């Protein structure tokens, strides 16, 4: 799910829109016009004002064809389509953006398209397809911390479809990356659960005892 914007941030988004709108009004030839349009679009998006967000992202593409933010704006158009439940259109946009992002070495944008699509498949409980995209994502992301999270989440998806063998393998593989303490702890705990589901109770117990013996 989209993380809600904290209450105090809502007023800050209003200020961003006001200041960027003033820049567009009084400095329309400024080199910051594309940046201002993108920031206004993102602010509307986080306010859940998706129609106006879409308008700003499209305005940037239409009026600033040489902007370095074109691809990012297209990503946000895809994300906004998904929030507006224009799923077919949104997925088409995300696929197009992903291909271009990979071609141009824009890893963060490519990763964002995968996350958005995985989020969609999770929302309709198509865990098998979500797993396919999560495993593809591992081939694109170079962040060892993020990859640890991806593998952990993949394990949870395998749990949803009761594929405990692959769930256990995923939770075990988390340690191959650079997990945060929380991800490492949760993955080891879920690994023990998977072992129990597979009838390997002694192994599960050994994992839990080893975790309990560690200071933290």
């Amino acid at each position: 799910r989209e993380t809600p914007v904290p209450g105090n941030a809502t007023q800050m988004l209003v200020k961003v829109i006001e200041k960027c709108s003033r820049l567009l009004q009084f400095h329309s030839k400024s080199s910051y016009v594309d940046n201002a349009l993108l920031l206004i679009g993102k602010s509307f998006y986080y306010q859940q004002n998706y129609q106006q967000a879409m308008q700003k992202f499209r305005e940037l593409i239409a009026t600033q064809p040489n902007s370095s933010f074109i691809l990012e704006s297209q990503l946000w158009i895809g994300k906004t389509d998904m929030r507006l439940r224009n799923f077919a259109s949104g997925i088409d946009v995300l696929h197009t953006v992903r291909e271009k992002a990979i071609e141009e070495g824009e890893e963060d944008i490519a990763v964002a398209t995968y996350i958005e699509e995985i989020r969609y498949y999770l929302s309709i409980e198509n865990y098998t397809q979500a797993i396919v995209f999560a495993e593809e994502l591992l081939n694109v992301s170079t962040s060892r911390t993020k990859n640890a999270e991806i593998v952990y989440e993949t394990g949870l998806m395998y749990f949803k479809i009761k594929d405990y063998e692959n769930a256990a393998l995923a939770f075990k593989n988390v340690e191959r990356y650079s997990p945060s303490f929380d991800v490492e702890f949760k993955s080891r705990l879920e690994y023990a659960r998977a072992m129990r589901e597979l009838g390997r109770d002694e192994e599960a117990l050994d994992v839990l005892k080893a975790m309990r013996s560690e200071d933290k």
Side-chain angles (χ1 to χ4, degrees), residues 93-113:
V93 171
L94 293 171
H95 284 187
T96 301
V97 171
R98 182 183 308 142
E99 288 176 9
K100 195 165 183 183
I102 291 172
E103 182 183 322
E104 296 180 0
E106 295 284 355
E107 181 184 318
D108 288 346
I109 292 179
V111 167
T113 66

Side-chain angles (χ1 to χ4, degrees), residues 146-215:
K146 188 182 294 290
N147 288 350
E149 294 176 22
I150 294 164
V151 175
Y152 168 70
E153 294 290 343
T154 303
L156 294 179
M157 289 187 267
Y158 274 121
F159 234 104
K160 290 281 189 182
I161 59 175
K162 300 184 187 235
D163 184 345
Y164 303 120
E165 198 74 55
N166 276 316
L169 184 61
F171 294 132
K172 186 72 174 171
N173 284 341
V174 166
E175 64 191 29
R176 292 170 49 190
Y177 299 95
S178 301
S180 64
F181 172 78
D182 285 344
V183 170
E184 182 179 2
F185 174 81
K186 289 188 291 186
S187 65
R188 289 169 69 180
L189 194 63
E190 294 296 338
Y191 178 74
R193 279 184 62 207
M195 290 292 99
R196 188 182 63 200
E197 293 289 350
L198 290 167
R200 292 153 66 175
D201 295 344
E202 288 300 320
E203 287 182 60
L205 188 58
D206 287 344
V207 171
L208 296 171
K209 283 181 176 177
M211 290 176 69
R212 192 184 307 157
S213 69
E214 295 179 12
D215 290 344

Side-chain angles (χ1 to χ4, degrees), residues 43-69:
S43 297
F44 280 135
Y45 178 93
Y46 286 119
Q47 288 179 335
Q48 299 183 355
N49 191 341
Y50 299 123
Q51 294 289 0
Q52 285 192 273
M54 182 72 83
Q55 183 181 337
K56 289 302 173 185
F57 298 136
R58 286 178 173 163
E59 184 181 341
L60 190 159
I61 293 170
T63 63
Q64 310 293 317
N66 299 318
S67 171
S68 60
F69 298 119

Side-chain angles (χ1 to χ4, degrees), residues 131-142:
I131 288 167
V132 169
F133 279 99
E135 291 179 344
E136 276 187 29
L137 175 52
L138 284 175
N139 296 321
V140 175
S141 171
T142 58

